[in-house]
Every structure is written in structure tokens, then in C-alpha cells.
Amino acid sequence: MYDPKSLKAEEFIDHREVLDTLAYAEKTAADHQAVVEILEKARKHKGLSHREASVLLACDDPAINEEIYKLAREIKQQYYGNRIVMFAPLYLSNYCINGCVYCPYHLKNKHIARKKLTQDEIVREVTALQDMGHKRLAIETGEDPKNSPIEYVLESIKTIYSIKHKNGAIRRVNVNIAATTVENYRKLKEAGIGTYILFQETYHKESYEELHPSGPKHDYVYHTEAMDRAMEGGIDDVGLGVLFGLERYRYEFAALLMHAEHLEAVHGVGPHTISVPRIKHADDIDPNAFDNGIDDDTFCKIIACIRIAVPYTGMIISTRESKAVRERALELGISQISGASRTSVGGYVEPEPEEESSAQFDVSDQRTLDEVVCWLMKRGFVPSFCTACYREGRTGDRFMSLCKSMQILNCCHPNALMTLKEYLMDYASPVTRIVGNDLIQKELPKIPSDKVRQFVEKNLDKIEHGERDFRI
């Protein structure tokens, strides 16, 4: 029986409840008045249950869909404004002992190049990322206790934080590694990580076990309960996600929201982020081999419905998606995107020869960080390199209380402008600098407090003259 307060995976992700939700959504979506009532509740900007949100996802009325998209835009603006957080992934190692059939890192793949960065190589990779202008990284590894144990991850985090190059510094390291123990989560917390991210891949237990036929990741329960262990270990910002295309998208959508409800009910803090990757082509992986792929329209509707259901969460879209898809998704709720990403081990210093590829998946958006930043600004978004919430302790329930009361913008918008100014001065092309300075001048009057606006203006001037790292 579905129990969001349970710590057992098969209770807070109850298969029968998911199926009942899908049946309820299919039936209720045909009831126009019921759908209108759900939309009215959603307009309060306080979120929806997994059942209510599933009804909106199941509804195929074009007029209702337009209302869903409009509402998603309103909620994104009210909670996060026009700010878009920038980050890049850094792959440390692709050695892996799992047998995941959708990932080229699986153990049986004998022709992918296996690589592991040394600490010196990490310095070179991070320096290259700093030279682009990145301040926030998400580190990734395959699961291999021999080649990438927790000690290697911790040493790598220490190395990353130690690198200071010109005006560059990585201010926050988020971590996307395999499910682990409470003790190891404590070690990650002590290392100063930002958000711990772990994709469920699929919440359908039977499919999960078939897709993970061997290795420690085969254990559905251990994997699904990872966020509870992370919270127990003191990590208060966690990021959820599924790999759309492995199972029926409506099943994944309902279960994903049930997981968010569970975290909220048990820990008082829902997911800090939700990611929405789709399966893509990679070495020895053909996405057409999976039967549950979704088209761009469905993908965008999923994003809009997640934004409505969980208005407080950050939403991430990666360079798996093309420029065109990311452009649509930004309007519907996305608040974080990667830029100039490489999904190979050691791909930032110099491109890999094709025959030595170590990439996890093909990158669809190949633009430079400068091109992405300029594109965002021309569309009216403020690219943000800010990490002040982590550094100032605005995490977990502190962040959520500010976000749910729609006050987080009072912190984030000023910091976004100042970190954007840093980027413009240190890394931007001449055209991007002109576009960015014009945008900053347009955004300054939106800061509601005269005192804060004066503070920002003062420090923008200081940044212009070479001073760095101001934060509220």
C-alpha cells in the first residue's frame, strides 16, 4: 500500500498505486470539469499530488494543454524568475562493474576506451573548464570499487576545490555517483559537496531488474532508498531523475512524483533538483532498441507538468538535448542547463580521437559556453554562475522555506547579476559582453529593495575594476 512516510522503497513507490494512478488519470482526463478543478488548484502555485498531475499529463485537450504550458511558465517565473543556472559535467572514470543495458559503460562492452583521470589530469580538465568560465561542476563516475572507490572521489573533490587559475575557481561540486552507504554519504558531506544526484533510471521494479541484469546496481531496493541514506548522512540537497525511454513515461512520471512526496513527508525536504534525460545514442547503444521513446511534444509536456506539480524544485536539462528542444524546455520550467559539455573522460583539454572514445552518450548541443550564454541572454534569460546558497548555508529546509515562500529570488537574482558580470569581464567574447551588460542594466530595476540594488550596483562597479567574489 502506498505510504509516502515509509522508508521502504516498495511502499513509497508502490507498483499498485502507480497503476491505479494511471487508470484514474486516464478516466479523469476525460472529465472536463475535473480537469478544470485541478488546474484551479494548480494556479495557487502550491503544487499537485502525483494523481492530480498525472491527470494533466494524460489530458489531450489542446486548450487544456495551452493552459498547462501557460501555468508552467508563470510558476517558473514566480519561483525562479528568468535566472538559468549554468554547470558542466566532469567525468572522472568510466570503469564500471554493472551490466546496465542502456549504458555503454556496462562491463561487457570491451571496445569502449576505459579511462580514469589522475589528479594531475583533473587539474588540467578543471583548468580548462575554468578558462571557459564555469564555476559549478557535476562529477560523474562509473561504479567500480577498485578503480573509483569513495577515497578516489573524495581526493578528486579536494583537488577540484584547490585549483585557482587566473580569476577561475570551482565554487561548488555536485556529485552523481552510484548509490552508497550512509558512512560514505557523510564523507561526501564533509568534503563540501553541493547536491547529491542519482537517477533512478526506471521506477518499474521488474523493468529495472531486467535493465540491470548484473552488478550492484541490480538491487532495486538499495538503489531506490539511496536518497534516504544520503539524507541520514547529512546531505540535505538531493537530485532525482529518470531516464525517459526505458519504461512508459506516464508510469515514470507518477512514480517520480511519489518519490518527491516521500522525501517531503519523511525528511521535510523535497528534491532540490529533478533531471529529465532521454535515452540517446552512444557507443554500442541504439535508443531505437527501447520501446518507450517519447517525442519532443510529450517531453515538453512532461517538463511543464513536473514544474506545476513540484514548483519549488530546480529542473535540469543537459546537452543530451538539441538547441531547439532546450529552447522550448526553458520556457516551461527548466532552471539549470549544462553548457559546452563533454561526456568523455578527459574531453575538455583536447577532443578524443573517435577510435578512443570514452563518452557515455552523444552530445546534441555542441555549442561553446560563450555561445550558450549569449543565446540565453538574447532570449531574456540571466545566466547565473552563483553558488552562494551552498556557501552561505542556504540548503535543505532553509533553501526550501525561502523557495516555497517565493523569497529565494531576493538572494538569487542579485547574485546572478554579479556572477554574470564576473563572467562577462573574464571570459566573454566582445559580442556576448555587450549583450550581457545591456541585460544587466535592464535587470537591475527589477531588484525590489533599494538597499540591495545599491549594493549590487556598487559591486558590479568593483567587478568591472578587477575585484571578485561578492555575494549576499
Side-chain angles (χ1 to χ4, degrees), residues 148-169:
S148 50
I150 191 66
E151 291 76 18
Y152 170 70
V153 174
L154 295 171
E155 183 184 10
S156 300
I157 293 170
K158 184 177 180 180
T159 296
I160 292 167
Y161 280 141
S162 73
I163 302 163
K164 304 294 185 288
H165 173 66
K166 298 180 181 177
N167 287 327

Side-chain angles (χ1 to χ4, degrees), residues 291-302:
D291 297 331
N292 295 291
I294 54 175
D295 60 28
D296 293 348
D297 289 340
T298 301
F299 181 61
C300 287
K301 188 173 180 184
I302 288 169

Side-chain angles (χ1 to χ4, degrees), residues 437-448:
N437 284 327
D438 287 346
L439 179 67
I440 288 172
Q441 292 307 309
K442 292 176 182 176
E443 292 294 321
L444 278 171
K446 297 180 183 179
I447 299 175

Side-chain angles (χ1 to χ4, degrees), residues 23 27 52 73 86 95 123 193 209 240 244 253 308 335 352 388 400 420 445 453:
K27 178 181 178 181
E52 293 164 334
R73 294 185 189 100
M86 309 301 301
Y95 286 95
V123 170
I193 74 164
E209 291 172 348
L240 303 180
F244 284 103
F253 176 85
I308 291 170
S335 58
E352 289 183 315
M400 287 299 175
L420 175 58
R453 186 167 60 255

